[in-house]
Amino acid sequence: MENTIDLNPIPYLTWTWLKINKDTVSYDFSFTENSGNEIQIPDNVEISSSKKITTKLPEPECSIGKAAADLIEAGAPKGKIYTFKKSNSNEEQKPLIIRITSNANCATHNTIHALEGSVAKVIIVYGVAAGLSGVITKIYAEENAQVHISKVQLCSKNLNQIDDTQITCGDNAKVKLTQIELGGSHINASFHATLAGYKSKFISDTAYICKDTQYIDMNQTVVHTGTKTECDMKTDGTVKDNTTKTYRGTIDMRKGCCGSKGNEMETTLLLSPEAVVKAAPIILCGEEDISAEHGSTIGKLSDEMLFYMNTRGIDQKTAEELLTRAKVTVAASNIEDEEIQKEISDFLTR
């Protein structure tokens, strides 16, 4: 039985006629829980089946909307927690690698709990073949913890996905999110980060290709509540064919976050007159002593770049393909596993 729900609501409404305030979908939310398979497990990780942790950090918030979050929570009643402890080894820590595959509707609820002073590296690879994939990933970064989570979406064109990353940071904690969106049909990829701790930091690097008849809808929110916090959000991708891409990016500087800095930049290479591109970069300011910048650019291959390529024997189509691939390759270089980097490269080639 299908449910019609709203997804990715913008934090503060804008003009209705812009049709950017939300996304609306109709899906069958009959889920089977699927927490994925751990392909590589570092020594400093403990795994348990639960959703509850002990922490003084505020509960992370969602960006996909309460209705969708409730349906995914209900579809994944057990959940799984990955607890990262501070390592006593001086050796370079390997990442936790999780693969999520399925041929039917699946719901995933994973929690990354980085304890005080720990280093957590996580790579999640999605290869779902069909149906609906609902994903909630919660990240708790305790004091002085460092987290790098990479999400790689290499699903088939028969897949619809709702993917929400929810983050909360303590004092001096740092979270980095690398997100690659390449497959699927209708994709809702969102995150919400709360910088509650003193000098906490969040960095995101998102790359995507929107092709054929794909629909990609993104809702990215960073809330600053702690003093001297910092965020840097980057989204870079290509839109072509008969596709639709929507970007919502919000930096919310709330009262009390004095000395904080925020930056967001979204760049789109537009390669088709039939494609639809919508963007809403937003800065909300409730504090005086802050610094924040934002921007969004949409454009085709410049005449200068095309001339440069032509003088080196590269035609327009090849130039567009090279730049499209380069956007993804640059972001993928952050992923700390060469085999997965190659997997992304092979997916692009196919």
Side-chain angles (χ1 to χ4, degrees), residues 143-317:
E143 183 176 354
N144 293 314
Q146 296 186 46
V147 180
H148 181 196
I149 180 166
S150 301
K151 288 191 165 186
V152 181
Q153 190 266 104
L154 305 176
C155 298
S156 80
K157 62 182 180 180
N158 299 316
L159 183 278
N160 298 321
Q161 186 173 59
I162 304 169
D163 182 6
D164 196 33
T165 306
Q166 305 171 15
I167 302 156
T168 183
C169 294
D171 292 346
N172 292 295
K174 178 182 177 180
V175 174
K176 181 177 181 178
L177 170 64
T178 301
Q179 195 156 13
I180 308 293
E181 296 289 342
L182 296 180
S185 176
H186 192 119
I187 301 298
N188 292 90
S190 309
F191 64 73
H192 188 294
T194 301
L195 300 179
Y198 172 72
K199 283 191 174 181
S200 55
K201 186 174 183 178
F202 172 75
I203 300 172
S204 68
D205 194 350
T206 301
Y208 66 89
I209 299 175
C210 193
K211 63 185 184 300
D212 300 327
T213 58
Q214 280 182 307
Y215 190 110
I216 296 181
D217 192 285
M218 292 175 279
N219 193 23
Q220 304 177 354
T221 303
V222 180
V223 176
H224 295 252
T225 58
T227 57
K228 296 187 178 181
T229 54
E230 185 176 347
C231 79
D232 190 358
M233 305 153 63
K234 175 187 173 186
T235 302
D236 200 359
T238 302
V239 177
K240 53 186 178 178
D241 305 322
N242 189 20
T243 58
T244 300
K245 186 229 70 177
T246 300
Y247 168 84
R248 305 173 194 84
T250 303
I251 297 175
D252 190 353
M253 295 284 190
R254 296 187 180 175
K255 189 171 180 60
C257 73
C258 56
S260 294
K261 299 178 181 179
N263 181 69
E264 65 169 315
M265 175 55 69
E266 190 257 352
T267 306
T268 301
L269 177 62
L270 181 60
L271 299 181
S272 169
E274 284 78 36
V276 177
V277 177
K278 294 179 283 187
I282 299 171
I283 291 178
L284 304 171
C285 186
E287 180 60 69
E288 294 183 358
D289 182 21
I290 59 96
S291 172
E293 299 177 356
H294 67 168
S296 179
T297 63
I298 302 170
K300 61 181 182 179
L301 187 64
S302 69
D303 292 338
E304 292 80 5
M305 178 61 74
L306 185 57
F307 176 77
Y308 176 83
M309 294 286 193
N310 289 160
T311 59
R312 282 151 180 79
I314 301 172
D315 60 30
Q316 181 171 344
K317 182 178 179 181

Side-chain angles (χ1 to χ4, degrees), residues 94-168:
K94 294 182 178 180
L96 167 68
I97 301 177
I98 304 169
R99 288 189 177 270
I100 299 176
T101 58
S102 176
N103 291 312
N105 287 15
C106 59
T108 303
H109 188 291
N110 289 337
T111 300
I112 310 300
H113 189 193
L115 300 183
E116 182 177 348
S118 65
V119 175
K121 299 178 182 180
V122 183
I123 304 174
I124 305 176
V125 183
Y126 303 105
V128 184
L132 173 64
S133 169
V135 181
I136 291 178
T137 307
K138 292 188 176 184
I139 300 172
Y140 297 83
E142 303 285 354
E143 183 176 354
N144 293 314
Q146 296 186 46
V147 180
H148 181 196
I149 180 166
S150 301
K151 288 191 165 186
V152 181
Q153 190 266 104
L154 305 176
C155 298
S156 80
K157 62 182 180 180
N158 299 316
L159 183 278
N160 298 321
Q161 186 173 59
I162 304 169
D163 182 6
D164 196 33
T165 306
Q166 305 171 15
I167 302 156
T168 183

